[in-house]
Amino acid sequence: MAEQDEIRAMATRFFDAIEQGDIETMQASFTPDAEIWHNTDELIVTPEQTAKTLTGMVARITDREYADRRLTTFPGGFVQQHVLKGKRTHDGGLVRLPCAIICRVVDGRITRLDEYFDSAHVAEFRKFA
């Protein structure tokens, strides 16, 4: 049970950090050799590449919120479903991005993150980016 509590706390810190624009804390949640996979392009990227992408998102999307979080832990990881909401800085347009994230966790850090988005929502979220 303690492992599950630690994973739940780490997952919460991870998503809270992104909401707050704290890319350093987000990146520190990964092991250096972690793999981050996206269903929309089927690429595996590094924590450094993810930090760069999220730095851009933080600059372009304000009022970020991971709404409707549904976090489930399991031995060695977690699944979270949520809706990432925010406002585009250039036109004030509201955006929402339903998502499911599956993570493997070892010693309190993410070793693998699989990210599932609907590509139509991604296009609207990145509009004018």
Side-chain angles (χ1 to χ4, degrees), residues 3 6-7 10 13 28-34 74-78 103-113:
E3 178 195 21
E6 289 173 14
I7 290 172
M10 186 277 306
R13 280 192 309 275
S29 300
F30 290 106
T31 60
D33 61 345
F74 55 85
F78 69 89
C103 290
R104 286 188 228 144
V105 177
V106 175
D107 295 329
R109 295 174 73 194
I110 298 168
T111 61
R112 169 85 183 198
L113 182 150

Side-chain angles (χ1 to χ4, degrees), residues 27-109:
Q27 189 171 354
S29 300
F30 290 106
T31 60
D33 61 345
E35 297 180 335
I36 297 95
W37 177 83
H38 313 121
N39 75 299
T40 54
D41 59 15
E42 298 187 41
L43 296 176
I44 293 175
V45 298
T46 66
E48 293 79 18
Q49 290 167 306
T50 298
K52 183 177 177 181
T53 298
L54 290 177
T55 296
M57 181 197 71
V58 165
R60 290 188 303 275
I61 305 293
T62 63
D63 303 327
R64 291 169 307 280
E65 176 191 8
Y66 284 100
D68 305 321
R69 295 186 195 192
R70 293 174 308 284
L71 176 62
T72 303
T73 61
F74 55 85
F78 69 89
V79 174
Q80 179 167 297
Q81 294 172 271
H82 57 252
V83 178
L84 177 55
K85 296 179 178 183
K87 188 186 310 179
R88 289 190 304 253
T89 56
H90 71 279
D91 68 356
L94 299 178
V95 291
R96 59 185 308 278
L97 185 59
C99 182
I101 304 279
I102 302 169
C103 290
R104 286 188 228 144
V105 177
V106 175
D107 295 329
R109 295 174 73 194

